[in-house]
Amino acid sequence: MHIAICDDNVADRHQTERLLGRQAQSRKRDDDGIYIDSYGNIAAIMPFPQLYDIFFIDMVQSECDGLELARRLLSAGAHGYFVLCCSSIDYASLAREQNFESDRIRFLAKPILVAELTAVLDELVPLTQIREERIELRGLRQSDTLYVTPDEILWAQSDAHNTTVILTQGRKMMVAGEAYRLYLSVEENPLFSPINDHTFINLAHMKTISLFHISMEDGTKFRVSPYFTTAIKKQKKELEELGL
């Protein structure tokens, strides 16, 4: 399990490192461990959001506060849990004021008490061990690689050289290569189906289907042949019978 600390107060950051280091030792197992990385600024942590299972965050002297950093990390593809450490900023109150809710955010008061830190980790560590399927999307630049869950993909379509992948939350990514190569990595997942030689969709995000057209949740409309329409309707019915 990997934990990131992002705190722009040097003394607080070092104290959190020490407390988590002791937790890592007490929770050490033969088959796994807890690895801790520490960051003092936003630019340093933003390139690696997918690496971490838990983030401990408090930013009070930077361009954005800890709650905003959590938003940015979530938008950048972070799949971990966030512990916002409340010092001069009461993140719990701030989140309520901004109507920001997420089941992946917890709050911890500073100075951090050992008993409260233990309780947070007792809750979150088991959750991080439930590994969801991840799909690797390699962007046109190596630094653009993104790891997403199947449900985050709406559809993908290739042109002569690259593939456009449409994701939830209005995100879009350009992936090198043709769509069929990406489809090979998800074809065993029953949610995905090709609709022509260069496009596949996630049936969970399909809005309507007719004899010649399919519309998606994002408003995109595809023209399809009756052959694919028949196959997709059958696949959709099987998913509904399975409760998917």
Side-chain angles (χ1 to χ4, degrees), residues 190 235-244:
Q235 187 173 344
K236 182 70 172 176
K237 182 178 180 181
E238 291 174 350
L239 289 173
E240 290 173 351
E241 291 174 350
L242 293 172
L244 300 177

Side-chain angles (χ1 to χ4, degrees), residues 8-206:
D8 53 11
N9 182 301
V10 176
D12 284 1
R13 186 167 70 249
H14 289 169
Q15 175 65 3
T16 305
E17 290 171 11
R18 286 191 289 271
L19 291 172
L20 286 173
R22 293 169 188 162
Q23 291 281 336
Q25 287 297 318
S26 65
R27 296 167 185 267
K28 191 172 183 180
R29 298 180 299 163
D30 294 335
D31 59 337
D32 200 358
I34 296 178
Y35 303 92
I36 302 165
D37 292 324
S38 188
Y39 300 93
N41 61 75
I42 295 166
I45 195 172
M46 285 306 298
F48 313 107
Q50 299 94 359
L51 295 181
Y52 297 103
D53 300 293
I54 303 176
F55 299 83
F56 283 81
I57 298 174
D58 184 24
M59 306 297 288
V60 298
Q61 307 170 41
S62 304
E63 64 194 66
C64 71
D65 59 43
L67 185 63
E68 177 59 27
L69 177 56
R71 290 181 197 267
R72 294 187 186 186
L73 290 166
L74 284 167
S75 296
H79 295 286
Y81 290 85
F82 297 84
V83 180
L84 298 182
C85 302
C86 306
S87 54
S88 60
I89 299 176
D90 183 348
Y91 292 114
S93 297
L94 187 62
R96 286 194 297 270
E97 291 172 6
Q98 298 181 7
N99 293 318
F100 180 73
E101 296 182 3
S102 173
D103 60 0
R104 286 195 273 156
I105 290 182
R106 306 293 187 274
F107 304 99
L108 191 63
K110 283 184 173 180
I112 298 174
L113 301 179
V114 173
E116 293 180 356
L117 176 61
T118 300
V120 167
L121 291 176
D122 284 346
E123 178 194 3
L124 295 184
V125 169
L127 295 177
T128 66
Q129 293 167 357
I130 302 173
R131 302 298 183 184
E132 292 184 273
E133 179 185 356
R134 292 284 185 268
I135 297 166
E136 182 183 59
L137 300 178
R138 293 188 179 183
L140 303 184
R141 300 177 303 175
Q142 186 176 2
S143 60
D144 291 337
T145 299
L146 188 65
Y147 295 88
V148 300
T149 60
D151 188 59
E152 292 179 90
I153 299 176
L154 275 68
W155 55 268
Q157 185 175 66
S158 59
D159 55 23
H161 304 289
N162 302 306
T163 296
T164 299
V165 183
I166 302 300
L167 303 166
T168 54
Q169 301 178 341
R171 295 171 294 161
K172 179 170 71 173
M173 185 172 184
M174 189 69 72
V175 176
E178 298 181 10
Y180 85 89
R181 294 176 58 188
L182 179 59
Y183 178 70
L184 291 177
S185 67
V186 301
E187 65 177 339
E188 294 184 2
N189 189 314
L191 292 175
F192 293 98
S193 176
I195 60 171
N196 55 46
D197 291 339
H198 54 275
T199 309
F200 68 87
I201 66 172
N202 185 333
L203 299 184
H205 295 290
M206 183 176 69

